[in-house]
Amino acid sequence: MNARASKSSSPAVKIRAAIMAAFGARGHGLSNLWLLDSYRAGCKWALRSDSEFIHAVLAEIDPRIRTIDLAPEPVIVRVLEDDHQTTFDAIIEFVDGRRECREIKTDPDEDLDTRSQIQKEAQAVAVRRMDAQYVRMYGTQMIQNPQRFWNGVRILRFVNAAKTYQLEEYRESIAMRLQHSRRELTLLELWAPFEPATRPLASAAAMQLFLERNIALDLDLRPFNEHSTLRWAQ
């Protein structure tokens, strides 16, 4: 195997390249850069703004979604006799088979400039080729329920902090208890078989099952904690 080729295709090199590309894509803007470790996609995404980060967190915890691609390849389309290259911010596939091509902006006011109008036309052409729905989403609207977003951040922190641990014992115990229970169980109740020092791992296992759409829980009204109730979703 060519050592140089192997090194250039390593995950670390790829994510560094993605970060540099995201940094360059900001232009002269001062938006934040985010690195999201996606459990569902099994990779890290370099995100160019707070709005893209909000969208990514909410997509990760959305049980309707099967797959997430936050770095789609660019496409070239013809608009008004000119070729335009355009790149969607996300391509989402839902459990029911629907597909969305998403453009993420901070505020609807960004749609008013000429560049955004051309982009919208090019992306509308591209999405018809892909048999998908075209959706423009805005950070100011997505964050209208901040509780769901911050619960999502906490869930992803649990899962990513435990990514190097073997969690099968915890997963099996939690799945069995929820499947055989006739009621919802709190996270505190699911901790019962485990030593206090290992309870964070039990929480991470439960959150893996949630991200895999095996567990259902309400993230909209209250902070996610040991008193949150969980139920088997299948």
Side-chain angles (χ1 to χ4, degrees):
M1 180 182 292
N2 186 297
R4 180 176 296 177
S6 175
K7 183 178 179 181
S8 66
S9 60
S10 71
V13 170
K14 287 181 177 179
I15 194 58
R16 282 198 295 270
I19 292 171
M20 293 307 298
F23 182 82
R26 296 188 311 169
H28 297 292
L30 298 177
S31 58
N32 291 321
L33 291 180
W34 295 90
L35 186 63
L36 179 78
D37 198 343
S38 170
Y39 179 79
R40 283 189 168 180
C43 65
K44 294 180 180 179
W45 303 113
L47 307 171
R48 298 167 298 175
S49 68
D50 292 347
S51 293
E52 288 191 15
F53 179 64
I54 293 167
H55 166 263
V57 170
L58 294 176
E60 283 280 319
I61 64 173
D62 189 337
R64 303 171 301 166
I65 291 175
R66 178 187 291 123
T67 64
I68 305 165
D69 184 358
L70 299 183
E73 293 294 323
V75 294
I76 297 176
V77 297
R78 180 162 283 267
V79 178
L80 299 176
E81 305 304 320
D82 291 320
D83 289 335
H84 294 271
Q85 177 175 292
T86 188
T87 305
F88 294 104
D89 290 321
I91 297 179
I92 304 294
E93 293 189 7
F94 290 87
V95 174
D96 63 10
R98 290 181 299 117
R99 198 179 190 200
E100 284 186 357
C101 296
R102 294 179 172 180
E103 178 68 18
I104 311 301
K105 299 292 186 183
T106 298
D107 190 271
D109 288 345
E110 293 183 50
D111 287 342
L112 301 178
D113 62 66
T114 302
R115 181 178 177 276
S116 288
Q117 291 300 320
I118 294 173
Q119 179 191 55
K120 286 175 68 174
E121 293 178 19
Q123 291 185 337
V125 173
V127 81
R128 287 196 291 270
R129 292 184 186 174
M130 303 168 68
D131 190 26
Q133 182 179 1
Y134 180 40
V135 179
R136 295 178 75 86
M137 304 180 72
Y138 306 97
T140 52
Q141 296 174 355
M142 287 186 285
I143 202 62
Q144 286 181 355
N145 184 351
Q147 186 65 73
R148 184 173 185 84
F149 167 73
W150 287 114
N151 279 337
V153 169
R154 188 169 193 207
I155 286 169
L156 295 179
R157 283 175 176 167
F158 265 119
V159 170
N160 289 326
K163 64 190 300 183
T164 60
Y165 291 84
Q166 295 295 322
L167 301 181
E168 200 57 38
E169 173 189 354
Y170 305 97
R171 288 168 57 95
E172 289 178 359
S173 171
I174 291 167
M176 182 178 67
R177 294 190 67 199
L178 286 175
Q179 286 173 0
H180 291 88
S181 176
R182 296 185 178 182
R183 62 181 179 86
E184 295 179 333
L185 297 176
T186 66
L187 191 59
L188 187 63
E189 290 174 304
L190 293 172
W191 284 348
F194 306 112
E195 295 295 326
T198 66
R199 287 174 180 173
L201 296 180
S203 298
M207 293 308 93
Q208 283 185 352
L209 292 168
F210 166 71
L211 293 175
E212 294 164 11
R213 301 186 301 278
N214 293 311
I215 285 177
L217 68 157
D218 182 9
L219 299 176
D220 293 336
L221 299 179
R222 299 179 182 85
F224 173 69
N225 56 35
E226 67 272 21
H227 301 294
S228 298
T229 56
L230 302 87
R231 66 181 184 279
W232 195 248
Q234 299 182 354

